């Protein structure tokens, strides 16, 4: 009889423990789900990129520079519903950003443009890295979205500066002066041998 009672008590204890474990696991799952939901909401609210050209130069690039057009199209499409969709979109944006190093228009193939493209790519790759972590640091992701927008504006303004500078007319005579400098540099310098001085006879012949 005592054996049956002990077995019954052990059975109740085991069932109670299993129920407690289930309740604990359920609570942890709910907590994790709420955490992921909060991360999704934060990223979803912050996921706004400047996909419209901010000046006429950038707008012209959309028509003439395929990589720039594809990049702006990519950042303009906002993912929906799941964090997985954001991860997929982030990888696609990173790929489009890397392509900006290709086929840069001749007018913009300059160090100041290349450096800004490089910084933009670095920020996007960092965002892509963070959003693919198991524990996503949503604060860093949202901060980088703001930084990426700043770099976009900086890049487009630099393009505009280059175009505006190319429109400034040269001052009158400047082109001729520069051409003359080039011609002067092209002429080889020649050394002129000095003409020896004639010695004057200090004792002229006497006339008798």
């Amino acid at each position: 009889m005592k054996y049956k009672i002990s077995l019954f008590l052990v059975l109740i204890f085991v069932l109670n423990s299993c129920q407690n474990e289930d309740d604990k696991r359920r609570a942890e799952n709910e907590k994790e789900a709420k955490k992921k939901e909060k991360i999704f909401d934060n990223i979803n609210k912050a996921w706004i990129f400047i996909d419209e050209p901010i000046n006429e130069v950038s707008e012209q690039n959309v028509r003439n520079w395929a990589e720039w057009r594809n990049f702006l199209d990519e950042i303009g499409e906002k993912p929906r519903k799941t964090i997985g969709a954001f991860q997929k979109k982030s990888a696609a944006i990173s790929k489009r950003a890397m392509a900006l190093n290709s086929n840069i228009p001749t007018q913009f193939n300059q160090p100041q443009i290349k450096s800004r493209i490089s910084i933009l790519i670095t920020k996007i790759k960092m965002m892509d890295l963070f959003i693919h972590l198991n524990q996503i640091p949503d604060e860093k992701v949202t901060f980088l979205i703001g930084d990426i927008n700043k770099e976009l504006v900086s890049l487009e303004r630099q393009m505009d500066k280059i175009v505006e500078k190319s429109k400034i007319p040269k001052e009158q005579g400047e082109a001729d002066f520069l051409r003359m400098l080039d011609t002067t540099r092209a002429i080889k310098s020649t050394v002129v041998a000095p003409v020896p001085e004639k010695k004057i006879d200090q004792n002229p012949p006497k006339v008798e």
Side-chain angles (χ1 to χ4, degrees):
M1 185 69 179
K2 290 181 179 180
Y3 175 76
K4 289 181 179 181
I5 293 173
S6 298
L7 185 61
F8 179 72
L9 292 173
V10 169
L11 184 60
I12 291 175
F13 176 77
V14 170
L15 290 173
N16 196 31
S17 297
C18 290
Q19 186 176 356
N20 289 339
E21 284 296 322
D22 289 341
D23 291 342
K24 184 179 179 181
R25 194 178 297 110
R26 193 178 299 110
E28 288 177 353
N29 289 340
E30 288 177 0
K31 184 179 179 181
E32 187 67 21
K34 287 181 179 179
K35 184 179 179 181
K36 288 182 178 179
E37 185 178 353
K38 183 180 178 182
I39 290 173
F40 173 83
D41 288 340
N42 289 341
I43 293 176
N44 186 45
K45 289 176 183 176
W47 197 277
I48 301 172
F49 291 102
I50 302 175
D51 61 313
E52 292 292 330
I54 66 169
N55 51 42
E56 186 179 348
V57 174
S58 181
E59 191 173 345
Q60 289 175 353
N61 283 335
V62 169
R63 294 192 293 269
N64 303 324
W65 185 9
E67 287 76 13
W68 179 251
R69 179 174 63 251
N70 294 336
F71 173 74
L72 292 183
D73 287 344
E74 197 69 63
I75 64 175
E77 296 174 357
K78 186 174 181 178
R80 304 289 177 184
K81 296 182 180 180
T82 65
I83 197 67
F86 281 98
Q87 291 171 332
K88 186 177 179 180
K89 173 56 70 175
S90 177
I93 291 174
S94 181
K95 184 178 179 180
R96 293 295 189 188
M98 290 291 292
L100 291 176
N101 278 321
S102 305
N103 301 320
I104 300 175
T106 304
Q107 188 176 22
F108 303 122
N109 196 8
Q110 301 184 22
Q112 56 266 45
I113 293 295
K114 289 182 176 180
S115 64
R116 281 168 173 78
I117 290 176
S118 178
I119 294 171
L120 177 64
I121 290 173
T122 299
K123 303 278 186 182
I124 290 173
K125 290 178 75 173
M126 286 175 63
M127 180 190 72
D128 188 43
L129 173 66
F130 286 134
I131 204 171
H132 278 91
L133 295 176
N134 290 331
Q135 297 295 328
I136 300 173
D138 51 307
E139 295 90 354
K140 291 183 178 180
V141 173
T142 55
F143 177 80
L144 281 167
I145 290 172
D147 255 11
I148 290 167
N149 280 325
K150 290 178 184 177
E151 296 303 330
L152 276 169
V153 171
S154 175
L155 175 58
E156 292 181 65
R157 284 178 176 169
Q158 186 61 45
M159 291 175 182
D160 190 56
K161 284 181 182 178
I162 290 173
V163 172
E164 289 303 313
K165 188 175 180 180
S166 68
K167 291 179 181 177
I168 299 175
K170 290 183 172 64
E171 292 184 9
Q172 187 176 1
E174 182 180 353
D176 293 335
F177 177 72
L178 292 173
R179 202 177 306 115
M180 184 184 69
L181 282 178
D182 290 338
T183 306
T184 304
R185 293 191 189 103
I187 298 174
K188 294 182 179 180
S189 59
T190 56
V191 178
V192 180
V195 179
E197 295 182 3
K198 292 183 179 180
K199 293 183 178 180
I200 301 173
D201 191 352
Q202 298 294 331
N203 299 312
K206 293 181 181 180
V207 178
E208 301 206 3

